[in-house]
Amino acid sequence: MRAGRSAADSRCLSGCRSGKMAAARVELESLEKTLGLRRRNKLGPSPSDSAVPVLQTNNGPGLVGLTTIASHLVKVAKKEALLGSTAEESAIVQQWLEYRITQIDRCNSQEDTRVVLKELNCYLEDKVYLAGNSLTLADIMVYNGLHHIVAGLTHEEREKFMNVSRWFNHIQHCPGVRQHSAAVIFMKNRLYPSVH
Amino acid sequence: MTKGESGGVQEDQPQSKKAAKKLQKEAEKAAKKAEKQAKLASENQAGDEEDFAKDRYGILPMIQSQEKLDRVLVHVKTLTEEKADQVVWLRSRVHTSRAKGKQCFLVLRQQQFNVQGLVAVGDHVSKQMVKFAANISKESIVDVEGIVRKVDQKIESCSQQDVELHIEKIYVISAAEPRLPLQLEDAMRPEAGDEEGRATVNQDTRLDNRIIDLRTMTSQSIFRLQAGVCQLFRETLIKKEFVEVQTPKIISAASEGGANVFTVSLSISQSMKYSLKFMFRAEDSNTHRHLTEFVGLDIEMAFNYHYHEVVTEIAGTLVQIFKGLRDRHQTEIQTVCKQYPCEPFKFLEPTLRLEFPEAVAMLKEAGVEMGDEEDLSTPNEKLLGRLVKEKYDTDFYILDKYPLAVRPFYTMPDPHDPKYSNSYDMFMRGEEILSGAQRIHDPQLLTDRALQLGIDIEKIKSYIDSFRYGAPPHAGGGIGLERVTMLYLGLHNIRQTSMFPRDPKRLTP
């Protein structure tokens, strides 16, 4: 009885995790295309945690983790500018990559997503990109992480988080970023003036 | 647990010591209280003896029509600067009272108006009288005589801001229980008031105590405005030479087969043409805009060549109602706005008329995925309302040419495209208030359509037969009174505009 239940639990767990793994693979593949990398890298699940992707490189042990692999791919593609052009920018890029993994990917409820959207909306009030004055890996990764959340918002909510919407709409139109994700539609005019 | 039990004996002594101390304290308290009461009583007695104003206040015996007084009672709303320094009598409710030393402030309310009253110790008012006034329970009805005085500083909390009443006599006509199920002030607080951490009253508590909730200035204004809608509806149609008719609500079978019908040995009719009446819906929808019993304002008219003659007539009637509300009920609109803020209602003349495919195109452009012949879902209706408002700046519009598949059997198909029909809905602030159509007046076509939709012809025989002896082309529509009031005022729940709302979960009060 007890053994049976725990087996079922672990099956569900691995099911969810392999789902996350598949999502990570799709995301990294689309990032390869964005970066203009021809060669497909081989991804596999980490032996200790199946939700974490591992990239087998030619030299040394595998690279573990979504943002680690993403940063590595940027360097392979020789587009280091995407990691920030100054020390400050690089630090900010790293901070948002971490935010993506620790905050956005761990949204389990409506309240969690509200908190994330509110924070981002405040941060983006006076910014075009997350770090510096041009597109960085932070924009791409946060865009990817938010896509399913923003796509599920009503027009009223998109208007409420207006700075997020403006930034998101801009990023999805940056060449090569969107790849196969569906374009999210934003209204050009305010429909809900009383929301503000 | 067991440890505590074993240690029970040991703890016994200190406990009893504590208990003894407690007892002693209580005894002291009681003694003090008794002393205080005795003092108070003696004071009162002393007071009674020297109360020079004892005829100026008190609880009146029940009014049983024993005498006809020719005393004139004025309405609170008439208390303005013009009445300054006059002595007036009025009957009102005690809205709030606040005693402060030798004076007591009362807010006296009559319907949606209120005025500040002051009972202050002076030549005519004794200490005891102030105390009596302060102890009158909220919502009690009192008769008051007082002098109207101008005030230097406007009284923000009252509708009569320029004057106050210096009370010289106050009698209780009907006392309210001291504990009320809800406080009127809480029930009138705007919802944004949460920030101050002050209480508001939820919808169910309001409805459970509707008698008290109806006393709020907001409710008073809502129902005055609603009466205005009915009056304007009648006025406008009488001018257009419409005839008011009364038809039975109890019929043998569902005439439409649209929504479910109550079956209580006899069915209650879903919809009849030409009148202003109670309607019933047996759908089990618990939403912000559905009631099981509501008031329908129905219009049905014959036309000459095109059903747009009727559409224009109905839209014109609604525009007359909107204009009338705006011109006659501004006070009510403002009062409701204080509790439920909302933008003023906007409309165009002539009314905007969109066709269904245009609406579908607008929605698709906004990223909504829907089929061409699909009915509008509630969220899509609301979004469309926003899109229309943004594009045309109107809160009122007509949506014409609905797909035939989503309308009842008696709806006339469109002559140019059989997928569509000569039917229309009207919307206020993105929500449907009226549904109507050109009806089929040809018995053969009517029978064919009923058969196509699998409706039992026998059950609607008398309806079909009525067209066998010649019938002019006609069209019409039914408006929900509660919805019009709700949406005109920008309220969010239809229960606020129904005096004693009925829904699948509520049959009382």
Side-chain angles (χ1 to χ4, degrees):
Chain A
M1 187 75 179
R2 185 173 278 197
R5 202 197 302 157
S6 71
D9 285 350
S10 68
R11 213 180 309 138
C12 159
L13 213 60
S14 69
C16 303
R17 295 203 157 175
S18 64
K20 272 193 178 172
M21 173 61 209
R25 183 192 309 237
V26 170
E27 188 177 343
L28 287 170
E29 276 172 13
S30 115
L31 181 66
E32 284 179 331
K33 283 185 196 158
T34 305
L35 295 169
L37 286 172
R38 292 265 174 81
R39 194 176 49 117
R40 287 285 172 85
N41 292 283
K42 270 221 163 154
L43 285 168
S46 147
S48 60
D49 186 343
S50 58
V52 177
V54 173
L55 179 73
Q56 213 51 60
T57 52
N58 296 334
N59 37 359
L63 276 175
V64 183
L66 186 68
T67 53
T68 313
I69 299 172
S71 306
H72 168 74
L73 292 176
V74 168
K75 285 188 180 152
V76 170
K78 298 200 166 46
K79 295 195 172 164
E80 278 90 348
L82 284 177
L83 295 172
S85 19
T86 63
E88 288 88 351
E89 260 179 50
S90 306
I92 297 171
V93 169
Q94 287 310 314
Q95 190 199 346
W96 283 107
L97 291 180
E98 193 179 310
Y99 186 84
R100 155 73 205 268
I101 299 298
T102 56
Q103 303 295 318
I104 300 175
D105 287 356
R106 288 188 197 157
C107 284
N108 292 317
S109 66
Q110 284 254 321
E111 283 154 55
D112 294 346
T113 49
R114 297 295 109 162
V115 171
V116 163
L117 289 170
K118 233 175 148 178
E119 277 178 5
L120 257 174
N121 200 52
C122 274
Y123 178 78
L124 286 167
E125 185 161 17
D126 55 356
K127 290 174 189 69
V128 176
Y129 299 98
L130 284 173
N133 294 319
S134 59
L135 186 78
T136 62
L137 183 62
D139 294 302
I140 300 172
M141 298 299 281
V142 173
Y143 161 79
N144 284 331
L146 279 182
H147 189 280
H148 72 283
I149 294 174
V150 174
L153 295 180
T154 63
H155 281 293
E156 187 166 6
E157 291 163 324
R158 284 177 206 168
E159 207 169 300
K160 190 175 168 197
F161 304 111
M162 185 174 273
N163 302 319
V164 174
S165 295
R166 168 181 49 74
W167 165 85
F168 190 95
N169 197 23
H170 178 60
I171 302 301
Q172 75 175 354
H173 285 108
C174 285
V177 172
R178 186 161 68 78
Q179 296 294 334
H180 298 299
S181 316
V184 177
I185 293 179
F186 295 92
M187 305 309 291
K188 287 200 179 72
N189 303 321
R190 283 186 178 185
L191 297 182
Y192 302 88
S194 54
V195 170
H196 306 281
Chain B
M1 189 79 178
T2 45
K3 210 179 170 188
E5 272 167 30
S6 68
V9 186
Q10 280 176 316
E11 278 172 14
D12 208 38
Q13 255 186 334
Q15 251 180 17
S16 66
K17 236 184 197 175
K18 257 189 201 168
K21 248 189 188 172
K22 210 174 175 186
L23 268 175
Q24 202 189 335
K25 257 193 182 170
E26 262 170 26
E28 274 172 26
K29 240 187 193 172
K32 262 188 191 169
K33 209 173 171 185
E35 200 181 315
K36 212 175 181 183
Q37 261 173 353
K39 202 175 161 192
L40 218 75
S42 68
E43 253 179 24
N44 268 359
Q45 247 181 0
D48 275 346
E49 280 161 28
E50 56 188 77
D51 186 1
F52 54 88
K54 63 175 178 288
D55 295 333
R56 296 176 171 272
Y57 65 93
I59 297 171
L60 282 196
M62 181 167 62
I63 294 186
Q64 215 175 354
S65 308
Q66 273 189 332
E67 51 182 350
K68 287 186 185 173
L69 280 184
D70 39 14
R71 179 187 296 162
V72 178
L73 293 169
V74 303
H75 198 289
V76 166
K77 73 176 166 199
T78 65
L79 298 182
T80 56
E81 279 182 50
E82 287 164 30
K83 277 223 167 46
D85 303 323
Q86 288 183 25
V87 177
V88 294
W89 274 97
L90 56 94
R91 178 168 296 174
S92 67
R93 284 188 190 276
V94 174
H95 186 62
T96 58
S97 71
R98 182 165 50 94
K100 207 174 155 192
K102 285 182 173 180
Q103 47 192 7
C104 172
F105 287 96
L106 300 166
V107 174
L108 301 171
R109 190 184 80 239
Q110 194 167 10
Q111 290 150 357
Q112 70 267 50
F113 305 97
N114 54 17
V115 66
Q116 177 167 281
L118 172 65
V119 189
V121 174
D123 293 346
H124 302 288
V125 176
S126 64
K127 255 190 201 171
Q128 294 86 346
M129 181 170 162
V130 172
K131 206 169 161 194
F132 173 83
N135 283 332
I136 301 175
S137 50
K138 281 184 193 179
E139 293 305 297
S140 295
I141 295 173
V142 293
D143 269 9
V144 159
E145 187 194 47
I147 304 168
V148 182
R149 295 278 191 220
K150 252 172 78 174
V151 289
D152 302 327
Q153 210 168 13
K154 284 197 182 232
I155 301 162
E156 297 290 342
S157 58
C158 292
S159 67
Q160 311 311 110
Q161 303 197 331
D162 302 318
V163 294
E164 64 178 6
L165 195 66
H166 289 227
I167 295 169
E168 302 201 323
K169 290 177 185 165
I170 183 164
Y171 304 101
V172 174
I173 300 292
S174 169
E177 286 194 11
R179 281 178 66 90
L180 297 167
L182 58 94
Q183 299 298 317
L184 259 79
E185 283 178 312
D186 295 342
M188 279 165 62
R189 195 162 286 137
E191 269 151 2
D194 295 6
E195 288 160 27
E196 300 165 48
R198 303 176 91 174
T200 52
V201 184
N202 74 27
Q203 186 74 38
D204 267 332
T205 313
R206 284 172 191 277
L207 295 181
D208 289 341
N209 303 287
R210 192 62 160 151
I211 290 296
I212 299 179
D213 183 48
L214 286 174
R215 293 177 191 169
T216 62
M217 288 156 127
T218 312
S219 295
Q220 291 275 331
S221 302
I222 290 173
F223 289 101
R224 268 158 228 276
L225 186 110
Q226 190 162 68
V229 175
C230 285
Q231 195 189 345
L232 285 157
F233 178 78
R234 278 204 172 99
E235 266 178 33
T236 315
L237 290 177
I238 287 170
K239 262 187 226 154
K240 292 176 195 271
E241 300 195 342
F242 275 67
V243 177
E244 179 161 346
V245 297
Q246 305 298 338
T247 53
K249 277 90 207 151
I250 300 173
I251 58 168
S252 63
S255 65
E256 288 185 33
N260 305 322
V261 176
F262 285 111
T263 39
V264 203
S265 74
L266 285 169
S267 301
I268 297 169
S269 91
Q270 284 245 310
S271 135
M272 285 135 323
K273 327 304 170 192
Y274 315 86
S275 72
L276 189 153
K277 68 204 185 279
F278 289 100
M279 310 254 290
F280 307 90
R281 284 286 184 274
E283 288 162 271
D284 190 16
S285 1
N286 294 288
T287 71
H288 75 285
R289 60 170 188 179
H290 282 95
L291 292 172
T292 46
E293 181 183 328
F294 63 97
V295 178
L297 309 176
D298 278 16
I299 305 177
E300 203 72 26
M301 69 178 272
F303 62 83
N304 297 332
Y305 298 107
H306 199 293
Y307 75 100
H308 281 178
E309 295 164 31
V310 179
V311 176
T312 310
E313 204 73 52
I314 297 177
T317 305
L318 280 162
V319 166
Q320 286 307 313
I321 294 177
F322 300 149
K323 281 187 176 172
L325 292 177
R326 182 191 61 197
D327 299 341
R328 296 183 196 172
H329 293 279
Q330 209 42 245
T331 329
E332 282 83 5
I333 296 169
Q334 304 284 330
T335 309
V336 177
C337 248
K338 269 186 209 157
Q339 187 172 359
Y340 303 103
C342 120
E343 297 157 36
F345 190 80
K346 285 189 170 172
F347 51 91
L348 298 175
E349 270 184 294
T351 306
L352 173 70
R353 189 178 63 84
L354 292 175
E355 298 204 344
F356 199 80
E358 289 178 71
V360 174
M362 282 171 84
L363 285 170
K364 281 187 174 166
E365 204 179 313
V368 173
E369 287 166 30
M370 68 177 289
D372 287 343
E373 288 180 70
E374 204 179 305
D375 206 356
L376 293 177
S377 66
T378 307
N380 286 349
E381 269 181 19
K382 286 192 175 175
L383 176 59
L384 181 64
R386 286 293 176 168
L387 295 169
V388 169
K389 169 98 187 228
E390 203 281 319
K391 193 167 173 184
Y392 301 98
D393 197 30
T394 175
D395 286 308
F396 175 58
Y397 71 97
I398 307 163
L399 191 54
D400 198 12
K401 296 285 172 199
Y402 268 67
L404 187 60
V406 303
R407 305 298 272 201
F409 74 96
Y410 53 73
T411 309
M412 184 67 86
D414 181 76
H416 307 295
D417 187 345
K419 278 198 299 191
Y420 293 101
S421 64
N422 292 349
S423 63
Y424 42 86
D425 276 7
M426 296 190 188
F427 291 87
M428 285 172 69
R429 298 196 204 260
E431 295 194 51
E432 179 225 305
I433 48 137
L434 172 142
S435 206
Q438 177 184 353
R439 330 288 188 188
I440 299 173
H441 60 281
D442 178 79
Q444 191 53 51
L445 181 57
L446 195 58
T447 313
D448 292 348
R449 283 292 299 151
L451 285 172
Q452 274 172 28
L453 295 181
I455 292 166
D456 185 356
I457 299 291
E458 276 311 300
K459 285 191 175 166
I460 49 166
K461 195 168 177 297
S462 64
Y463 180 69
I464 296 179
D465 282 349
S466 62
F467 297 108
R468 292 196 190 282
Y469 314 111
H474 63 287
I479 307 164
L481 173 65
E482 287 88 350
R483 276 199 195 175
V484 172
T485 317
M486 164 176 86
L487 295 166
Y488 187 84
L489 290 169
L491 298 171
H492 298 295
N493 196 314
I494 197 156
R495 288 160 191 80
Q496 289 176 304
T497 56
S498 175
M499 194 164 268
F500 296 104
R502 291 290 176 261
D503 63 39
K505 290 189 180 133
R506 182 174 287 279
L507 283 168
T508 52

Tab-separated table of all heavy atoms in Angstrom, chain B residues 162-185:
chain	number	residue	atom	x	y	z
B	162	ASP	N	-24.982	73.733	4.909
B	162	ASP	CA	-24.883	75.142	5.305
B	162	ASP	C	-25.594	75.472	6.607
B	162	ASP	O	-25.453	76.572	7.125
B	162	ASP	CB	-25.456	76.032	4.192
B	162	ASP	CG	-24.717	75.803	2.889
B	162	ASP	OD1	-23.486	75.687	2.937
B	162	ASP	OD2	-25.383	75.713	1.834
B	163	VAL	N	-26.410	74.528	7.100
B	163	VAL	CA	-27.159	74.824	8.330
B	163	VAL	C	-27.040	73.678	9.324
B	163	VAL	O	-26.695	72.555	8.966
B	163	VAL	CB	-28.666	75.037	8.035
B	163	VAL	CG1	-28.875	76.278	7.195
B	163	VAL	CG2	-29.267	73.816	7.375
B	164	GLU	N	-27.322	74.008	10.584
B	164	GLU	CA	-27.512	72.947	11.561
B	164	GLU	C	-28.754	73.277	12.363
B	164	GLU	O	-29.281	74.393	12.286
B	164	GLU	CB	-26.276	72.774	12.459
B	164	GLU	CG	-25.952	73.955	13.316
B	164	GLU	CD	-24.751	73.698	14.223
B	164	GLU	OE1	-24.111	72.632	14.082
B	164	GLU	OE2	-24.477	74.562	15.056
B	165	LEU	N	-29.238	72.292	13.106
B	165	LEU	CA	-30.484	72.462	13.822
B	165	LEU	C	-30.184	72.496	15.323
B	165	LEU	O	-29.603	71.547	15.851
B	165	LEU	CB	-31.408	71.283	13.489
B	165	LEU	CG	-32.868	71.442	13.846
B	165	LEU	CD1	-33.503	72.538	13.004
B	165	LEU	CD2	-33.608	70.127	13.631
B	166	HIS	N	-30.552	73.612	15.975
B	166	HIS	CA	-30.383	73.687	17.436
B	166	HIS	C	-31.648	73.144	18.064
B	166	HIS	O	-32.692	73.801	18.075
B	166	HIS	CB	-30.098	75.124	17.853
B	166	HIS	CG	-28.725	75.559	17.437
B	166	HIS	ND1	-27.860	76.203	18.285
B	166	HIS	CD2	-28.051	75.403	16.272
B	166	HIS	CE1	-26.718	76.428	17.652
B	166	HIS	NE2	-26.814	75.962	16.418
B	167	ILE	N	-31.537	71.928	18.580
B	167	ILE	CA	-32.726	71.199	19.016
B	167	ILE	C	-33.216	71.698	20.371
B	167	ILE	O	-32.430	71.869	21.308
B	167	ILE	CB	-32.414	69.689	19.065
B	167	ILE	CG1	-32.125	69.196	17.641
B	167	ILE	CG2	-33.552	68.900	19.686
B	167	ILE	CD1	-31.546	67.802	17.575
B	168	GLU	N	-34.534	71.934	20.452
B	168	GLU	CA	-35.121	72.375	21.729
B	168	GLU	C	-36.080	71.352	22.293
B	168	GLU	O	-36.379	71.370	23.473
B	168	GLU	CB	-35.817	73.727	21.536
B	168	GLU	CG	-34.827	74.767	21.005
B	168	GLU	CD	-35.257	76.179	21.261
B	168	GLU	OE1	-36.471	76.431	21.179
B	168	GLU	OE2	-34.383	77.011	21.555
B	169	LYS	N	-36.611	70.508	21.419
B	169	LYS	CA	-37.469	69.417	21.901
B	169	LYS	C	-37.134	68.167	21.110
B	169	LYS	O	-36.884	68.252	19.909
B	169	LYS	CB	-38.956	69.756	21.697
B	169	LYS	CG	-39.464	70.841	22.603
B	169	LYS	CD	-40.906	71.152	22.297
B	169	LYS	CE	-41.362	72.348	23.154
B	169	LYS	NZ	-42.618	72.935	22.658
B	170	ILE	N	-37.116	67.036	21.787
B	170	ILE	CA	-36.849	65.785	21.067
B	170	ILE	C	-37.652	64.645	21.700
B	170	ILE	O	-37.593	64.430	22.912
B	170	ILE	CB	-35.332	65.479	21.004
B	170	ILE	CG1	-35.062	64.212	20.193
B	170	ILE	CG2	-34.704	65.390	22.397
B	170	ILE	CD1	-33.621	64.072	19.762
B	171	TYR	N	-38.478	63.982	20.890
B	171	TYR	CA	-39.311	62.880	21.366
B	171	TYR	C	-39.094	61.648	20.503
B	171	TYR	O	-39.007	61.747	19.286
B	171	TYR	CB	-40.799	63.268	21.308
B	171	TYR	CG	-41.124	64.526	22.066
B	171	TYR	CD1	-41.286	65.728	21.390
B	171	TYR	CD2	-41.254	64.510	23.457
B	171	TYR	CE1	-41.576	66.898	22.080
B	171	TYR	CE2	-41.540	65.671	24.158
B	171	TYR	CZ	-41.698	66.867	23.468
B	171	TYR	OH	-41.982	68.010	24.147
B	172	VAL	N	-39.021	60.508	21.160
B	172	VAL	CA	-38.854	59.255	20.413
B	172	VAL	C	-40.220	58.749	19.958
B	172	VAL	O	-41.144	58.610	20.764
B	172	VAL	CB	-38.144	58.195	21.278
B	172	VAL	CG1	-38.096	56.858	20.545
B	172	VAL	CG2	-36.747	58.656	21.629
B	173	ILE	N	-40.376	58.516	18.648
B	173	ILE	CA	-41.627	58.008	18.082
B	173	ILE	C	-41.559	56.485	17.991
B	173	ILE	O	-42.517	55.786	18.246
B	173	ILE	CB	-41.848	58.585	16.668
B	173	ILE	CG1	-41.926	60.105	16.730
B	173	ILE	CG2	-43.078	57.985	16.008
B	173	ILE	CD1	-43.144	60.633	17.441
B	174	SER	N	-40.390	55.983	17.587
B	174	SER	CA	-40.197	54.541	17.497
B	174	SER	C	-38.731	54.243	17.770
B	174	SER	O	-37.862	54.755	17.070
B	174	SER	CB	-40.612	54.053	16.096
B	174	SER	OG	-40.187	52.726	15.926
B	175	ALA	N	-38.492	53.435	18.793
B	175	ALA	CA	-37.102	53.161	19.165
B	175	ALA	C	-36.587	51.947	18.412
B	175	ALA	O	-37.305	50.960	18.241
B	175	ALA	CB	-37.007	52.924	20.666
B	176	ALA	N	-35.349	52.039	17.953
B	176	ALA	CA	-34.722	50.888	17.302
B	176	ALA	C	-33.975	50.094	18.350
B	176	ALA	O	-33.579	50.638	19.382
B	176	ALA	CB	-33.764	51.355	16.219
B	177	GLU	N	-33.778	48.804	18.063
B	177	GLU	CA	-32.975	48.010	18.992
B	177	GLU	C	-31.564	48.565	19.029
B	177	GLU	O	-31.054	49.031	18.018
B	177	GLU	CB	-32.951	46.551	18.523
B	177	GLU	CG	-34.262	45.869	18.782
B	177	GLU	CD	-34.155	44.358	18.657
B	177	GLU	OE1	-33.009	43.853	18.574
B	177	GLU	OE2	-35.197	43.715	18.654
B	178	PRO	N	-30.954	48.518	20.210
B	178	PRO	CA	-29.623	49.131	20.303
B	178	PRO	C	-28.568	48.428	19.443
B	178	PRO	O	-27.631	49.063	18.983
B	178	PRO	CB	-29.271	49.017	21.786
B	178	PRO	CG	-30.326	48.204	22.414
B	178	PRO	CD	-31.461	48.028	21.475
B	179	ARG	N	-28.721	47.130	19.232
B	179	ARG	CA	-27.739	46.430	18.392
B	179	ARG	C	-28.309	46.219	16.999
B	179	ARG	O	-29.304	45.528	16.824
B	179	ARG	CB	-27.381	45.077	18.999
B	179	ARG	CG	-26.391	45.182	20.139
B	179	ARG	CD	-26.123	43.811	20.715
B	179	ARG	NE	-25.434	42.978	19.742
B	179	ARG	CZ	-24.112	42.912	19.643
B	179	ARG	NH1	-23.360	43.632	20.457
B	179	ARG	NH2	-23.544	42.135	18.756
B	180	LEU	N	-27.649	46.804	15.979
B	180	LEU	CA	-28.107	46.650	14.600
B	180	LEU	C	-27.276	45.560	13.918
B	180	LEU	O	-26.097	45.419	14.215
B	180	LEU	CB	-27.917	47.959	13.832
B	180	LEU	CG	-28.724	49.161	14.323
B	180	LEU	CD1	-28.213	50.432	13.684
B	180	LEU	CD2	-30.196	48.962	14.018
B	181	PRO	N	-27.884	44.799	13.009
B	181	PRO	CA	-27.116	43.752	12.318
B	181	PRO	C	-26.007	44.310	11.438
B	181	PRO	O	-25.039	43.624	11.132
B	181	PRO	CB	-28.153	43.016	11.474
B	181	PRO	CG	-29.391	43.805	11.520
B	181	PRO	CD	-29.304	44.797	12.619
B	182	LEU	N	-26.168	45.540	10.981
B	182	LEU	CA	-25.069	46.176	10.253
B	182	LEU	C	-25.149	47.677	10.479
B	182	LEU	O	-26.217	48.210	10.765
B	182	LEU	CB	-25.117	45.851	8.755
B	182	LEU	CG	-26.359	46.214	7.958
B	182	LEU	CD1	-26.204	47.561	7.300
B	182	LEU	CD2	-26.579	45.159	6.889
B	183	GLN	N	-24.017	48.337	10.398
B	183	GLN	CA	-23.975	49.784	10.596
B	183	GLN	C	-24.132	50.478	9.251
B	183	GLN	O	-23.463	50.119	8.280
B	183	GLN	CB	-22.643	50.188	11.229
B	183	GLN	CG	-22.399	49.560	12.598
B	183	GLN	CD	-23.431	49.984	13.620
B	183	GLN	OE1	-23.806	51.158	13.693
B	183	GLN	NE2	-23.913	49.038	14.406
B	184	LEU	N	-25.021	51.469	9.218
B	184	LEU	CA	-25.240	52.173	7.958
B	184	LEU	C	-23.957	52.812	7.432
B	184	LEU	O	-23.713	52.839	6.236
B	184	LEU	CB	-26.322	53.238	8.123
B	184	LEU	CG	-27.662	52.776	7.573
B	184	LEU	CD1	-28.337	51.872	8.548
B	184	LEU	CD2	-28.513	53.935	7.177
B	185	GLU	N	-23.157	53.318	8.353
B	185	GLU	CA	-21.924	53.972	7.910
B	185	GLU	C	-20.999	52.976	7.209
B	185	GLU	O	-20.362	53.305	6.217
B	185	GLU	CB	-21.202	54.584	9.106
B	185	GLU	CG	-21.854	55.861	9.558
B	185	GLU	CD	-21.159	56.423	10.769
B	185	GLU	OE1	-20.911	55.654	11.714
B	185	GLU	OE2	-20.869	57.618	10.762
